[in-house]
Amino acid sequence: MELGIGMFGDLAVEQSTGKYKDAGIKIREIIDQVKLMDEVGIDVFAMGEHHRPDYAVSSPEIVLAAAASVTRNIKLASGVTVLSSSEPVKVYEDFATIDLISDGRAEIFVGRGSFIESFPLYGYSLNDYEELFDEKLELLLKINSEENVSWSGKLRAPMQNQTVYPRAKNEGRLPIWRAVGGTPKSVLSAAKLGMPLVVAIIGGMPIQFKNLIDFYKQEYLKAGHPESEMQIAIHSHTFVSEDQAVIDGYFHNYKSQMDRIGSARGWAPYTKMQYEGGRSKDGALFIGNTSEVADKIAYMKEIFGITRFIGHMDVGAPENEVMMKSIELFGEKVGPQVR
């Protein structure tokens, strides 16, 4: 099983000014953090895409390209590319370029995203939310498998025997994963297409997702795809420290981000009881010491049969030195225990 780390580039608020901290500093810290991930044996890094003041990264492709130049082994993925508001040709070209820079380490996680800011920003209508994604996914998969593309749809101009360059390694094919938040329709689509699946489990109890993942396995095999090629990942909030005071203190980082997002979505203020419940064996937070986190990941392997776990590790913008220690422990302690 592969172990990965995901980030969104969360920005903390400067208490003295009430403004978000410098995005440039955050991005440079992320590059240093990915370099450390590579050194301690993390298998995958996934960089998210957002178009909001509380996140530093709107172009994961550029961050991943920078990370490619300072790493040797770690796979570099988007987490996620909001495909509905992206241009599939440009997505392929960007990730094929990252693939060439990194000598074959680029991956794409495509999803609808949990935020909608990119739609008006890029001039798309939310009335086309579903159709945009389905149409663009069809085109992206076609580009990924064919050098000369002919395609037509309703919401984008057709392509007639057009070439898309550069081509990625592995005969031009990039690994493209389908990222979902729990919608059976999305899971069914991924299974029928034979796409690897990433399930975001960031609340409640992971066991609640077992029927969904079993459904994916059933439909994947029913569609005739080989079981040996099936890949399933989960992506969950994660933080590691051997210091209980640090774990207790991280609650305030986590609460600040949950409350900031929740205020726009009508959520009640996040509580310490939710935090501790999430940290329990049956909860969805992989936050604790190395043994607690390793045991919980192993439990996910047991109940889901996952081939990859991605710990989303920068929720609430922990300080850089705290993040670096969490990454180090995840790679050097959690990884060996899980394996």
Side-chain angles (χ1 to χ4, degrees), residues 58-190:
S58 61
S59 293
E61 301 88 347
I62 294 178
V63 175
L64 294 173
S69 68
V70 297
T71 57
R72 292 181 178 275
N73 300 303
I74 193 168
K75 296 176 182 177
L76 302 166
S78 56
V80 303
T81 294
V82 184
L83 190 59
S84 310
S85 57
S86 300
E87 166 50 50
V89 172
K90 190 69 167 67
V91 169
Y92 178 86
E93 290 174 338
D94 287 346
F95 279 90
T97 302
I98 297 168
D99 202 54
L100 297 176
I101 295 170
S102 66
D103 195 26
R105 293 185 280 127
E107 297 187 353
I108 310 173
F109 297 176
V110 295
R112 291 180 170 86
S114 61
F115 296 92
I116 59 172
E117 288 82 4
S118 61
F119 287 82
L121 187 65
Y122 293 140
Y124 291 102
S125 171
L126 285 170
N127 293 331
D128 299 323
Y129 184 82
E130 298 285 346
E131 194 169 9
L132 276 168
F133 183 86
D134 294 341
E135 195 170 277
K136 291 186 175 192
L137 178 60
E138 179 184 276
L139 177 54
L140 179 62
L141 294 176
K142 193 171 185 66
I143 294 167
N144 196 46
S145 62
E146 300 175 16
E147 188 169 324
N148 298 304
V149 178
S150 294
W151 174 91
S152 63
K154 295 180 180 178
L155 300 172
R156 185 201 183 279
M159 297 179 68
Q160 295 297 331
N161 196 33
Q162 291 175 279
T163 57
V164 180
Y165 295 115
R167 302 303 296 177
K169 293 176 71 72
N170 189 32
E171 299 182 344
R173 295 179 180 238
L174 293 161
I176 302 177
W177 295 62
R178 179 71 183 268
V180 304
T183 306
K185 181 181 176 183
S186 298
V187 170
L188 177 61
S189 171

Side-chain angles (χ1 to χ4, degrees), residues 37-57:
M37 292 177 207
D38 193 48
E39 292 168 355
V40 299
I42 303 299
D43 298 302
V44 188
F45 170 64
M47 183 76 252
E49 171 194 339
H50 293 88
H51 305 266
R52 301 164 48 96
D54 47 344
Y55 296 109
V57 179

Side-chain angles (χ1 to χ4, degrees), residues 11 74 79 86 120 125 131 135 246 300 306 310 312 323 331 335:
L11 291 171
I74 193 168
S86 300
S125 171
E131 194 169 9
E135 195 170 277
V246 172
M300 296 302 102
I306 55 174
I310 299 175
H312 187 108
M323 277 289 296

Side-chain angles (χ1 to χ4, degrees), residues 52 54-55 115 254-270:
R52 301 164 48 96
D54 47 344
Y55 296 109
F115 296 92
Y254 197 83
K255 174 179 170 59
S256 69
Q257 186 71 342
M258 291 299 102
D259 287 350
R260 185 155 56 239
I261 296 170
S263 64
R265 300 186 177 187
W267 299 349
Y270 193 79

